[in-house]
Amino acid sequence: MLKFIILFSFLLPFYTSAQDENPKRLGIILESALGLNTNPSQENVAETNFQRSGKGQGQNTYLSKTDLEIQLAAKAHYKAIKTDTFTLHTNYDYFRESYLKKTEENYNSHDFFFPVNLYTKTYRFELTPSYSYLTLNNTPYQSKTGIEGRATTRFDSFDFTIFSSLTQVNALDTNYSFESGNVKKLGAEFSAPWEDNEFMLTSSVEQSDNNDELGKIASYNAFSITPSFSISSNKWEHHLEVSYTQKNYNGNASDNSQRLDHLIIAQYKPSYFLTKEISLFIDVRYSKNNSNISLEEYTQFITLLGFTWFAF
């Protein structure tokens, strides 16, 4: 699948006070994207971009060989409390993705996060409750309630983080009842910054347990590993990332529905800063999913042209 997107991002933080004695801050990000999806080899697309961005749960979508896609996003961040050892945030994310030609589908998600951070000289602890609400064509589709914990220790030249999360997924449409259940994740993150550069390695295991009989077939175990580099020089910033995910669905051996996926995603994103507040970027991504079920195999190439304003 080939996808060209022109992406415009606007980062507009507003502060209730610039004084240190009043640390409350409100930040707003607005983002829009227009994309063209083409699939020269087949009309079936196993997973939509909505799912690959983490919003969907794996349902198949059938696109025409060329389909127009529109993305809208908004983010609000409010720092309610900040001290030398403690912070409390409230974050809201909105995301909309629409396919206009053949499927005529509109996905909307509303995500709420409430991260709490506790700092010491060598440790940082973060606990983040969250709630997500999704609609499909303006009909309630799914809700998620979750909590994630992170513990980070800082050494002389690197940071090491252990994280764990639990998410309860509830289908709001009976047509997707098999997607109700819970998702558990456990992982570790290694980060080594030097000067204005950083190397990061993240690895995790994930388990999904769905409720009804069809859901149990769709339950899975997954393993992923992602190395990434961020390098800055003069007015340029380069980000390179490669991820590998193996996902093993329980399936049903009697009808040969057991499924094993191997997904590789490579991303390169160079950014050029016109000023300290304004940058232009190109985001190039390649995705390849190999599966023992041919319906779930796909290749995707995405190119994004972007503009970002950092108004801190």
Side-chain angles (χ1 to χ4, degrees):
M1 177 187 290
L2 183 61
K3 177 179 179 181
F4 293 97
I5 294 182
I6 298 177
L7 177 65
F8 298 92
S9 300
F10 306 94
L11 183 56
L12 308 173
F14 300 94
Y15 301 97
T16 58
S17 172
Q19 304 300 319
D20 291 338
E21 58 268 20
N22 187 355
K24 297 181 180 180
R25 300 174 181 177
L26 174 65
I28 298 177
I29 299 174
L30 303 177
E31 182 177 281
S32 65
L34 175 64
L36 185 64
N37 290 268
T38 62
N39 180 23
S41 59
Q42 58 182 16
E43 289 202 3
N44 173 51
V45 178
E47 296 188 45
T48 68
N49 298 299
F50 182 80
Q51 292 144 12
R52 277 189 281 276
S53 65
K55 304 299 182 182
Q57 287 290 309
Q59 67 275 18
N60 292 330
T61 297
Y62 294 85
L63 301 178
S64 61
K65 290 188 176 182
T66 300
D67 209 339
L68 182 64
E69 177 186 339
I70 294 177
Q71 293 183 2
L72 298 173
K75 298 183 179 182
H77 165 87
Y78 182 69
K79 185 177 291 185
I81 300 174
K82 179 183 178 182
T83 69
D84 292 339
T85 59
F86 179 81
T87 62
L88 172 62
H89 298 208
T90 300
N91 300 336
Y92 166 70
D93 294 354
Y94 169 76
F95 180 81
R96 177 184 177 91
E97 187 167 47
S98 303
Y99 296 96
L100 303 182
K101 186 176 180 182
K102 187 171 183 180
T103 59
E104 297 182 351
E105 291 180 336
N106 298 302
Y107 295 91
N108 296 271
S109 68
H110 304 267
D111 303 322
F112 299 87
F113 304 93
F114 308 96
V116 179
N117 291 273
L118 179 65
Y119 300 88
T120 69
K121 290 184 178 180
T122 55
Y123 297 98
R124 183 181 72 186
F125 302 96
E126 180 176 307
L127 188 66
T128 305
S130 62
Y131 175 77
S132 300
Y133 179 79
L134 293 83
T135 66
L136 172 60
N137 296 331
N138 299 319
T139 299
Y141 162 63
Q142 189 180 81
S143 68
K144 300 179 183 180
T145 305
I147 189 165
E148 181 184 68
R150 301 175 67 90
T152 301
T153 182
R154 173 163 291 181
F155 297 91
D156 291 338
S157 58
F158 66 91
D159 295 346
F160 181 75
T161 300
I162 296 176
F163 59 90
S164 179
S165 66
L166 174 64
T167 303
Q168 180 65 41
V169 181
N170 297 303
L172 304 178
D173 187 330
T174 55
N175 292 324
Y176 300 98
S177 62
F178 64 90
E179 293 182 1
S180 293
N182 62 75
V183 179
K184 298 182 286 288
K185 181 181 286 189
L186 176 65
E189 185 177 273
F190 170 85
S191 173
W194 75 98
E195 297 180 351
D196 294 327
N197 310 312
E198 183 178 36
F199 168 75
M200 184 176 292
L201 180 65
T202 304
S203 182
S204 65
V205 292
E206 181 177 316
Q207 183 182 54
S208 170
D209 295 310
N210 295 341
N211 293 332
D212 59 25
E213 287 304 314
L214 181 58
K216 293 183 185 301
I217 294 175
S219 298
Y220 63 83
N221 295 293
F223 165 78
S224 67
I225 185 168
T226 304
S228 65
F229 291 90
S230 295
I231 300 174
S232 300
S233 61
N234 297 324
K235 294 185 176 183
W236 285 94
E237 183 177 280
H238 303 268
H239 181 78
L240 178 63
E241 179 175 308
V242 179
S243 68
Y244 167 77
T245 301
Q246 177 179 295
K247 187 175 288 188
N248 187 1
Y249 292 85
N250 291 346
N252 188 341
S254 63
D255 60 6
N256 197 31
S257 63
Q258 290 178 311
R259 171 182 163 194
L260 179 61
D261 286 5
H262 301 271
L263 173 63
I264 296 176
I265 301 176
Q267 177 191 22
Y268 173 57
K269 182 181 178 182
S271 302
Y272 180 77
F273 286 81
L274 300 175
T275 68
K276 291 183 179 180
E277 297 80 18
I278 300 174
S279 69
L280 304 175
F281 67 83
I282 300 175
D283 191 349
V284 181
R285 305 181 193 184
Y286 170 82
S287 303
K288 175 67 174 179
N289 189 58
N290 292 313
S291 177
N292 62 325
I293 298 180
S294 60
L295 179 66
E296 305 298 336
E297 293 191 332
Y298 63 84
T299 300
Q300 183 191 41
F301 181 74
I302 305 175
T303 300
L304 302 94
L305 306 177
F307 168 84
T308 307
W309 177 22
F310 300 91
F312 292 102

